[in-house]
Amino acid sequence: MPFEEKRTWILGGAAVVSYLIYLVVILTRSHPDGLARVGYIAPLLWAVGASILVSIVATIGVAIAARDGDRKDQRDREIDRMGSLVGNAFVVLGAAGALLLTMADAERFWIANAIYLGFTLSAVVGSTAKIIAYRRGYWPW
């Protein structure tokens, strides 16, 4: 498995796990007062920070253990480009959702969570597209 594919697995996995942990924390805290009244800022920052830290540490660990290092060839660059384009669509959708929520005078909780969901979906869908391209092949047309 190429280094870039391992890195993609790490980034996608970290995004999924951190978001699920964030959801569990928020949902367990929401019971008495409702979801929009939950203190979400600290758990959100911890989830994002932990995801970034785990991704960096795991990528460094894989790079140290890899025999071929972090060499990228043309195929890796094309797959990365395609996956990033696919993932970026979800950043735009999250931002559009947040904009609509802002126009509807929604609580800050919902706006922040729409943006965070957009970032998470971007990472997960982009990583999935890259992994599929690595596994099934990629033909730039």
Side-chain angles (χ1 to χ4, degrees):
M1 178 183 305
F3 174 78
E4 288 300 315
E5 184 179 355
K6 291 175 190 173
R7 187 173 161 269
T8 301
W9 278 102
I10 291 168
L11 296 176
V16 168
V17 170
S18 67
Y19 191 76
L20 289 176
I21 291 171
Y22 170 75
L23 281 180
V24 167
V25 168
I26 293 300
L27 292 175
T28 56
R29 291 182 178 184
S30 70
H31 185 63
D33 296 328
L35 213 46
R37 302 268 185 250
V38 173
Y40 67 93
I41 296 172
L44 192 142
L45 292 175
W46 276 104
V48 171
S51 179
I52 292 169
L53 182 66
V54 166
S55 297
I56 290 170
V57 170
T59 300
I60 290 171
V62 168
I64 291 170
R67 285 179 261 151
D68 59 346
D70 61 350
R71 291 181 288 168
K72 274 183 150 178
D73 60 8
Q74 183 64 29
R75 178 175 173 254
D76 290 326
R77 285 188 283 277
E78 289 293 324
I79 288 173
D80 185 58
R81 182 179 159 278
M82 179 272 308
S84 295
L85 289 174
V86 169
N88 286 345
F90 288 90
V91 171
V92 171
L93 289 173
L99 182 63
L100 291 173
L101 287 168
T102 302
M103 286 186 230
D105 283 333
E107 300 270 345
R108 290 180 182 174
F109 172 85
W110 297 112
I111 297 166
N113 279 282
I115 294 169
Y116 184 36
L117 179 62
F119 283 133
T120 301
L121 288 176
S122 172
V124 171
V125 173
S127 294
T128 302
K130 291 176 189 180
I131 290 167
I132 289 171
Y134 274 112
R135 297 295 170 151
R136 294 193 178 162
Y138 175 68
W139 301 276
W141 303 5

